[in-house]
Structures are given as structure tokens and as C-alpha cells.
Amino acid sequence: MSTLKDYGSFETAWCPGCGNFSILKAVKQALVQCNLAPHDVLFVSGIGQAAKAPHYLHANVFNGLHGRSLPVATGAKLANPHLTVIAESGDGCNYGEGGNHFLAAIRRNIDITLLVHDNRVYGLTKGQASPTSPEGFVSKAQPDGNPSLPFNPVAVATVMQAGFVARGFAGEMAHLTDLICQAIAHKGFSLVDILQPCVSFNRLNTFSWYQEHCRKLENSYDPTNQRGALDVAMMDENRLPIGVIYRNKRPSFKEKAEGSSSERAFGLQPFNQALFEEVLAHYY
Amino acid sequence: MVKRNSSKTICIGGEAGQGLVTIGQLLCKALVRSGYHIVITQSYQSRIRGGHNDFFIRTSVDPVAAPSKTTDLLIALDQASISEHGHLMNRDGLVVLDAILDPETHHALKVPFKDLAGDGFLNIAALTIAGALLGLNESLIQKLISDTFHKKDKAILEENLLVFEKALKWVREAAPAFEGLPPASPKGPRRLMLNGNEAIALGAIAAGVRSGFFYPMTPATSIMLTFIKHARTMGIVFEQAEDEIAAVNMAIGASFCGAPSLVATSGGGFALMAEGISLAAMTETPLVIAVAQRPGPATGLPTRTEQGDLLFVLHSGHGEFPRAIFAPGDVEECFSLTQKAFEISEKSQGPAFVLTDQFLADSYRAVLPFDRIDTKPLQSVAHAPDTKTPYQRYALTPDGLSPRLYPGMSHHLVIADSDEHTEDGHITEDLSIRKKMVEKRLKKTALLLSERIPPSFTGDSHPHVLFICWGSAKGAVEEAAERLRTPSLRTATLHFSQVWPLAPDDFLPVIQSAGVVVSVEGNATGQFAGILQRETGLRLEKQITRYDGLPLTPSYILSAFEKIDEGH
């Protein structure tokens, strides 16, 4: 049995009151709840305030480049299918710089969990509009207001039939913990878009704003109906549903690629000279 | 080394989609099985159907390593082949063409292909006729056809064999005047027929690679297609990524977890990978990228050749870090240097490159099997029972190399960071640690240097003329040096198959012992000459360059040399 203590506690570089603290706590609790040992888990992150999160717990970590957590996570999972691979980064990292990887990871349906700290703003670079910032969002980089419409990650993921699509809120710890746990357990690609305030740069979507606007999905809600899920994913700002929005049982990448992507595909396998001779025989 | 006139060159020309590559490959295989040496030059347009493509085979009883400009046997599948290549025919040359085409003024054999081969078997008829003209053993051709089609429908194989017999009978009766090849001995050791890209894929597999990632780009794609063809047999994982950025990052993820990884691309795709190279260096993750060059800038000439990306590969990736760059001179070196690249990449825990180009990528050769090569597959470092807790991925050591573990293989946690990091892999802004980490990474240059491959010197000592070249230029330059030699003119070639890092002591004495020193490169600006000048202070003013998209040939080099010599 793993415990919270196994995942340690560290000094962070975040602003006091940041939503990242409760997300970090929920992640640790979810790992304990899933009974995972730190050495069986690999966190892959990009760059941004959220991407620092894996530095603040005990696990294997690859803190890569901005936008690239998903490709690194994909390569890692292919190399070692036994690892629980979690990609964790912010909205700018995943939906902006890494947008193409986000779409490809959904299509590929490889067994990775993606946790997106979504504070609707670039925090590390001090307050520019992010892909999820609302239209009209004013910043030093968008002095006339953000001209672009916000990206809706849960709606896009639902349209693309991602295996597991959830939205959580940093202010609902127990609920978020459960969502992360379900996402890890899902065999295939899973997304948890986590709404969080940015106390330094987002004056609009504050903690109390989210508290007023987030609504937990009811127990009677059926997340397996894609059309219904899309309606829920596209609900406007006045009622932001949180919970498992959509899920299906689409076969994962590994199931589809069985044979070429089997357990033997490890760096640990010894080189087989006889098989290599078989390969060379094609060229006589 | 081949003598000036002892080789024959066969050109198969036609539209894309006419099957000329199939004819070329089968004829190559027939030549290799018969005991001849071959060098193939493929020239094609960036289209799937139509246009004009050609497949040149230079073949000889003696070893041959460079293409030739002129043609002895032209198999023309379209009229354009005659207008394109007719003027390069040797005096005794023969044009083989369909009866409906016009041979113009050339000595020709008009073949009723429609009668012999119907609609679908032109390639077998052409192969049979070419084989007969060259004097290849008939039963050998027949067996080749059987070997090629035995896996298909039995009826298809029988139809192919029927076309073979009809074409053979026809060409015997037609009996055109053409001097075939001198006999070769098929009795030597069995040889493989491989092009440069296939050899890179096989070299990676022999090295113990466990994963491969790519985004398709000519002329690198066939490296990964060869790799994937054998992946199932060898238990290797692979994926076609959404873009080159993803491909290089996937490779780094897989390599971090213990599956050594191959990435292949060309200039434009490599440009997108630059951030990943820097990431591999910072996280100290082994990474091997094969870059098959084509002429740039931008999209350039997608299907032609150039040695134009040397400086780009040398300087790719932001920040300062060591790297190794190999530049194979022939197909054997594509195999052995790819193996070497993996070895050095794993040892140094950083990026290594194999720099090839379209000419070598598509150039088939007959090579001895690699079974005598000592394949030392990469050693796993997953288990280290004496590792202390907490494990430090970036522990500072005298040689800059930290013990490496893979995540998930033990109770130790492996932490890697693209930020500057502490010994245990965590992000830091402690500037004294920063300084130590920079020095740690740069220390690995010593390892790269100690394992370097010095340039190879061929020819006369204290030469009057010394050619300096790198990568795929090798065969053409060595043959040019050979042909230039007279009893009173000593000539030699210095070929670099590793272009970085360089140790000037390896080659400065040789260069200083020479009279005239000429650099030969397949680019416009003499990139390698520039590197040599920077590293040694030696200024190579005499340069032969080629940047029209075609490979260097001995004749091209010799005529360029004449002009240099006149100016001298």
C-alpha cells in the first residue's frame, strides 16, 4: 500500500494562493487511492507554472520542453508499457504550443493520462492571453482585448471520441481526486481539464467566480452518449459542468498494435543474432 | 579500384509509374548474384506518375564506387529517355526501346514489347533482354524471377516465366551487336544488395535499437520503412508521428525509458527537430538522428542530392553541448557508422548524427554480409544494485558521465529536466551548480574524441595532388584521384567519415605533406573546408563544388580540376 508520505512534500516556486497547490494535493491523493508506488509512475511535463508540479512530488519525472509533454509521454509508454504515464502541464503548453500533439494523442488513444492545469492565462510569462482565455481578455499583449475565441478542450476531445474526457475544478479537491483516479484507471488516452484561478494574472476567473459557475454533473448523467456529452461540453460560461463528460471503450493504441507493440519491446531485450540473420536474408 | 573503361553503365529511363525501378532493382540483383559490383544512381522527380525518371547502374567485375556520366546500354521506356540521355551514349552503346518509339540516330534494338509482354509484364521482358545483352546467365535470371514472384499467385509467376521465355527467344533471334560484360565469378561469398538507407536501418537494428519515430520526408523515408519492415521480427516499437517535433520528442521519451531510438529525416524536417536535439543534450538522453540531405533552402529540390546541411547539423540546437557527426562514404559505412553512432550516443548520453544524402540513400551496392562484423548490441543499464538512495541522475563525476538508470526498472526514481538542474535532476537557479553542469556536459567531448574515427587516406604518400572530401563524395573522389595519377603525378584522397569532433593531429601532417590540396564537396560554399579552416587555421583555397542536385562523378571532378590547374 502506498501512502501520501511516499509522495513527499517540497518547497514550491508558486504564488501563495495558486490553484496549483490543491491540484498537486489531489494528484498525490489520487496516486495513493490508485495504490501506485512512486517508482511505477512517470510524470512528463512541459514548461509553465503547471509543468513544475512533478518536481514537487516523489516519482519518475521527465520535465521536457514547452508543448512537448505528450510526445515524450508517448515514446515512454511505448518503450515501457508497465509504467503509469501521466502528462501534466498547463493550457498554454497543451492547447497552444502542443495543440497538434493534443489532437494526435486523442486519435492515437495511447494509454496516457493528461492533466491540464487550465487557468486561462500565461502565468510564467506574466499574463498574456492563453488558448482558453475568453474573447476580449485584456492584457499587455492584447491591449484591445483578446480577439480570438477560446479553445474548448473538452468539446474538441468529445468530438474526436477521446476515451475519457473530464473537467475538474481545483476548488473541489475530493471530486478532482476521483476524476484523476478514474482517468489513470482508464485504458487509453484520458483528459482531465482542471479549472483553476491564477491569483496574479487572471482577475476575471477568480476562485469565487469558479465557485459560482462550476456545477457538478448529476449522478443520472450518461457520459457514454457522445451527442449528449457534446451538449454538456459546450454549455456556456454560466454553467460550467464538472465531472466525467464523455467516455467510451475504444481500443487503445496498444491493443490495436499488438505484436509490434508488445511487452518484449523494451530496451532490456537482448539482441537476437539469429533473428537478425533472418532479416539479412531478405537482401541476398 | 575500377579502371577507366572496364565498367559498363546501364540507364533505364521512363516516366514515373512505368516500372523502371523494378527493372533496375531486378537487374541489380541479377548482377550482384552473378558476381559483379554495382553503383546505382537514381534520379527522379517529385511526382508519382509521369515526368522523367532514370535509374543508372554502373557495373564492373572490379570494385566500383562512383557513378559514371556516360551510358553503354540505354533501356528507353519513353521518348524523353532518348532526348535526355542519347547524347551521353558511348560510341559502342545500344539503345533498347519499344518498337513504337523513335531511336533517332542511335544504334538501336527495337523491341515489340506489346507482343512479348502484353500489358502487365514489360518489366520482365526488359529485364530478360537487358540480362541477355549483358551476357548474364539465363537460368540465374529465371531463378531471380521465381524468387521474386513465388510468394504471389502461382498463375502470376507462370505468366512472368512465360514472358521471360518469349523475350529470351526473341532477343536470341534478334542478336543485336553489343559487347556484353566480361565474365564474373559468382563463386565468391554471397553478397547482399543494399542501398544506403537500408544499410542505415540495418545498422541501427544491429546496434540493438528498440524504437523508431519519424514523419515521412524524401529522401529519408525509406530508412524508416526498412526499419518498420523488420520491427516485428526484432521486437521493436515504432510510430509515425504527427510532425517532426513529435518524432524527436517521442524518441527522447523512449530512449529515456531504455529503448534506444532511431529518428530519420531530411533538412526541412530536421529544422523542426532542433529543439529536441538541445533537449537530448540537456537531459543527457541518447538520441541518434539520420539526416538524408537534399538540396535546400526550404523545400528545394526534394528528390535530388546535396551535401548542404553539414553546418546546419553541426550547429543545430540552442546552447552549447558536444555531439558526434558521422558521414558514411559508402553503403558499408552506412551500416557500420550507424552502429557506431548508437554506441557513442549511449556511451556519451547525448546526440549523435548520421549524415547521408539522396545519392547514397538510393544507391544500391553489393556488400559482403555483416555477420563478420562484431555486433555489440547496446548494454542495458537498468539494474544497478549498488546505486545509493536517492539516486542522482546527474551525479558529478570526473569524466562527466553519470550512472544511468531507467524509470520503472527499480525502486530508484529517475528525474530528468530540460531546465538547468541539480545532480538529482530538479530545476535549479543556483548559478554555481549551473557552471558545474555546463562543464560536466562539455567534458563528454573527451570521450567523443577518444572514440573518433580518423579520416582515411588512400593513394600515394607525399602526393602532388591531394583531394579532401567527406561523406558520399568518397567513391567519386577516390576514382578521380586514381584516374589523374600518372607515373610522374602522385595523387591521393583524404576522406572524412566522421566530420565532428575533429582531431587535427590525425590529418594535418598528411595535408602538409601534399603539393596541391583540393577540397571536393557537394555544396556551393565548401562547408567542410570552412570547418577545417576554423579548426586548424588551414585555408583550402582550391575547391571543387557541385550544387546542381546531381551527385559528384569522377568525370565532373576531373574536368573541374583541369580548370583549377589551368588557373594555377
Side-chain angles (χ1 to χ4, degrees):
Chain A
M1 286 298 282
S2 64
T3 65
L4 264 184
K5 221 178 130 201
D6 295 338
Y7 285 94
S9 63
F10 296 77
E11 197 187 313
T12 78
W14 292 326
C15 309
C18 179
N20 285 339
F21 290 104
S22 40
I23 299 174
L24 176 63
K25 214 166 167 187
V27 168
K28 286 190 206 169
Q29 272 175 3
L31 293 169
V32 173
Q33 212 166 302
C34 294
N35 196 26
L36 288 162
H39 65 263
D40 289 329
V41 182
L42 169 64
F43 278 90
V44 183
S45 69
I47 295 298
Q49 294 293 11
K52 292 176 185 167
H55 283 288
Y56 307 140
L57 50 71
H58 277 306
N60 295 294
V61 178
F62 190 98
N63 182 186
L65 298 174
H66 188 55
R68 315 301 171 212
S69 58
L70 283 172
V72 172
T74 301
K77 184 71 185 180
L78 277 173
N80 187 348
H82 298 303
L83 281 170
T84 295
V85 179
I86 300 172
E88 184 175 16
S89 226
D91 43 314
C93 199
N94 285 298
Y95 306 141
E97 190 86 20
N100 194 22
H101 311 313
F102 176 68
L103 299 181
I106 294 173
R107 291 177 49 226
R108 203 173 269 126
N109 201 25
I110 192 157
D111 188 11
I112 291 170
T113 297
L114 174 62
L115 306 179
V116 184
H117 297 221
D118 187 353
N119 61 4
R120 304 181 166 195
V121 72
Y122 283 105
L124 192 65
T125 53
K126 301 190 175 176
Q128 302 82 11
S130 92
T132 50
S133 296
E135 194 180 8
F137 180 86
V138 176
S139 81
K140 283 182 188 166
Q142 288 82 23
D144 303 325
N146 178 21
S148 300
L149 280 176
F151 180 71
N152 183 336
V154 290
V156 169
T158 302
V159 165
M160 294 181 70
Q161 299 181 58
F164 182 96
V165 183
R167 186 195 275 142
F169 169 42
E172 290 283 353
M173 275 271 293
H175 181 254
L176 178 60
T177 303
D178 179 57
L179 289 180
I180 296 170
C181 221
Q182 287 190 60
I184 291 170
H186 176 79
K187 293 285 165 219
F189 180 78
S190 48
L191 165 69
V192 187
D193 183 70
I194 307 165
L195 302 174
Q196 67 160 114
C198 173
V199 291
S200 298
F201 300 111
N202 190 339
R203 310 275 177 218
L204 221 66
N205 309 111
T206 60
F207 192 81
S208 54
W209 184 91
Y210 280 117
Q211 269 182 326
E212 276 165 39
H213 292 80
C214 287
R215 298 274 190 286
K216 281 184 205 158
L217 286 164
E218 317 230 327
N219 285 338
S220 59
Y221 172 70
D222 174 17
T224 62
N225 179 334
Q226 193 192 9
R227 298 275 169 161
L230 193 56
D231 285 341
V232 167
M234 290 179 72
M235 277 181 184
D236 67 34
E237 294 278 87
N238 294 319
R239 193 180 181 285
L240 279 170
I242 57 172
V244 180
I245 291 172
Y246 175 62
R247 70 189 310 165
N248 63 37
K249 290 183 175 162
R250 199 153 68 88
S252 72
F253 182 90
K254 186 167 178 293
E255 288 165 284
K256 282 179 284 179
E258 204 159 17
S260 65
S261 170
S262 63
E263 310 292 318
R264 65 204 169 120
F266 260 25
L268 294 181
Q269 281 301 105
F271 177 76
N272 187 323
Q273 184 74 38
L275 288 176
F276 185 62
E277 296 295 329
E278 217 175 274
V279 165
L280 284 187
H282 283 84
Y283 299 92
Y284 285 109
Chain B
M1 182 55 68
V2 71
K3 299 290 177 295
R4 186 188 287 263
N5 289 321
S6 73
S7 72
K8 280 212 184 300
T9 294
I10 303 127
C11 170
I12 305 152
E15 289 179 17
Q18 278 191 309
L20 70 144
V21 175
T22 310
I23 301 172
Q25 286 173 338
L26 287 170
L27 191 55
C28 284
K29 202 148 231 188
L31 287 162
V32 172
R33 287 187 180 182
S34 305
Y36 294 97
H37 293 270
I38 56 167
V39 173
I40 281 34
T41 315
Q42 293 191 54
S43 170
Y44 45 97
Q45 293 183 330
S46 189
R47 56 196 285 176
I48 307 302
R49 297 272 167 164
H52 179 78
N53 295 352
D54 45 54
F55 189 107
F56 278 88
I57 306 169
R58 187 178 180 206
T59 184
S60 168
V61 178
D62 306 311
V64 61
S68 154
K69 226 165 124 180
T70 56
T71 301
D72 299 285
L73 181 62
L74 172 62
I75 317 276
L77 302 183
D78 63 355
Q79 195 64 43
S81 302
I82 294 158
S83 43
E84 286 271 330
H85 305 295
H87 65 286
L88 293 173
M89 294 296 294
N90 283 326
R91 203 178 307 151
D92 306 328
L94 175 68
V95 177
V96 174
L97 76 176
D98 194 302
I100 57 166
L101 298 177
D102 173 14
E104 296 172 6
T105 55
H106 302 288
H107 173 40
L109 175 65
K110 295 183 95 172
V111 184
F113 276 118
K114 187 98 182 157
D115 298 342
L116 294 176
D119 283 328
F121 301 92
L122 180 141
N123 46 17
I124 294 301
L127 166 74
T128 307
I129 290 165
L133 291 171
L134 291 166
L136 302 183
N137 182 302
E138 291 153 10
S139 55
L140 189 141
I141 304 271
Q142 192 177 23
K143 180 165 186 309
L144 177 65
I145 295 169
S146 300
D147 289 352
T148 308
F149 297 100
H150 81 277
K151 278 189 195 141
K152 295 202 175 157
D153 194 329
K154 209 174 164 199
I156 293 178
L157 171 60
E158 274 166 20
E159 275 188 89
N160 274 295
L161 289 173
L162 211 66
V163 171
F164 162 75
E165 275 160 29
K166 265 169 93 173
L168 189 63
K169 186 162 172 277
W170 182 87
V171 71
R172 274 183 191 149
E173 283 164 13
F178 181 74
E179 196 190 331
L181 288 161
S185 164
K187 293 243 164 61
R190 268 215 307 175
R191 293 171 308 159
L192 303 159
M193 185 183 111
L194 285 176
N195 65 31
N197 275 1
E198 289 170 338
I200 287 174
L202 295 180
I205 293 170
V209 70
R210 310 303 308 164
S211 64
F213 303 93
F214 78 115
Y215 185 89
M217 185 167 183
T218 306
T221 311
S222 62
I223 296 175
M224 295 314 290
L225 297 186
T226 304
F227 184 83
I228 289 167
K229 183 171 149 188
H230 304 302
R232 197 167 284 240
T233 308
M234 300 304 294
I236 293 168
V237 287
F238 58 86
E239 174 65 345
Q240 178 181 317
E242 54 272 26
D243 53 38
E244 283 88 350
I245 301 172
V248 73
N249 278 283
M250 284 177 186
I252 290 168
S255 176
F256 173 66
C257 287
S261 198
L262 174 68
V263 175
T265 188
S266 186
F270 185 70
L272 292 180
M273 294 182 179
E275 62 166 36
I277 293 149
S278 191
L279 176 66
M282 187 55 146
T283 57
E284 304 198 40
T285 309
L287 172 69
V288 174
I289 304 184
V291 182
Q293 300 162 100
R294 70 191 215 187
T299 311
L301 289 169
T303 60
R304 311 294 165 154
T305 200
E306 196 163 278
Q307 292 186 292
D309 292 333
L310 171 60
L311 289 176
F312 179 38
V313 171
L314 177 60
H315 298 296
S316 60
H318 50 293
E320 296 176 296
F321 54 87
R323 73 189 76 201
I325 307 174
F326 299 94
D330 51 37
V331 169
E332 284 93 337
E333 286 185 356
C334 283
F335 181 90
S336 62
L337 294 180
T338 303
Q339 236 191 334
K340 173 89 182 172
F342 273 98
E343 203 182 297
I344 201 76
S345 171
E346 287 288 321
K347 275 190 191 166
S348 67
Q349 305 180 19
F353 303 89
V354 179
L355 196 51
T356 179
D357 51 44
Q358 181 267 331
F359 162 61
L360 188 54
D362 294 329
S363 187
Y364 287 97
R365 314 277 170 99
V367 298
L368 288 169
F370 302 113
D371 54 14
R372 267 175 250 140
I373 292 172
D374 182 20
T375 50
K376 279 177 289 181
L378 306 166
Q379 288 300 308
S380 160
V381 288
H383 301 292
D386 55 342
T387 305
K388 286 188 204 116
T389 305
Y391 164 66
Q392 296 196 310
R393 172 67 191 90
Y394 303 108
L396 293 169
T397 59
D399 58 5
L401 297 164
S402 316
R404 196 171 159 231
L405 297 182
Y406 305 144
M409 301 292 190
S410 69
H411 67 278
H412 295 293
L413 300 179
V414 187
I415 296 146
D417 197 353
S418 71
D419 292 276
E420 191 56 274
H421 40 254
T422 52
E423 285 181 89
D424 62 5
H426 285 297
I427 181 170
T428 186
E429 296 197 37
D430 180 327
L431 302 186
S432 66
I433 293 179
R434 155 68 181 177
K435 194 158 172 283
K436 283 183 190 144
M437 285 294 166
V438 170
E439 287 156 6
K440 166 201 191 324
R441 289 187 289 268
L442 291 177
K443 271 181 194 167
K444 297 193 280 186
T445 303
L447 169 72
L448 299 184
L449 276 171
S450 74
E451 302 233 354
R452 74 187 178 277
I453 298 171
S456 63
F457 179 86
T458 49
D460 308 320
S461 58
H462 296 88
H464 296 109
V465 179
L466 174 67
F467 291 113
I468 294 181
C469 63
W470 62 279
S472 75
K474 183 184 181 183
V477 176
E478 286 182 354
E479 185 176 330
E482 188 97 351
R483 277 159 57 170
L484 189 65
R485 176 176 301 137
T486 65
S488 61
L489 188 75
R490 294 193 300 274
T491 64
T493 302
L494 188 63
H495 173 260
F496 289 77
S497 61
Q498 181 167 3
V499 289
W500 194 262
L502 295 173
D505 288 349
D506 288 344
F507 51 84
L508 266 187
V510 172
I511 296 176
Q512 281 155 353
S513 77
V516 181
V517 181
V518 184
S519 84
V520 186
E521 296 185 55
N523 57 50
T525 54
Q527 296 186 17
F528 187 65
I531 294 174
L532 279 184
Q533 183 177 349
R534 194 183 78 187
E535 293 301 304
T536 65
L538 195 81
R539 198 175 151 88
L540 299 180
E541 281 175 16
K542 296 186 177 60
Q543 297 184 1
I544 293 172
T545 56
R546 183 163 203 178
Y547 45 90
D548 59 359
L550 295 174
L552 287 158
T553 63
S555 313
Y556 179 94
I557 295 164
L558 289 173
S559 60
F561 180 75
E562 263 174 43
K563 282 178 206 142
I564 288 178
D565 216 25
E566 280 162 17
H568 184 54

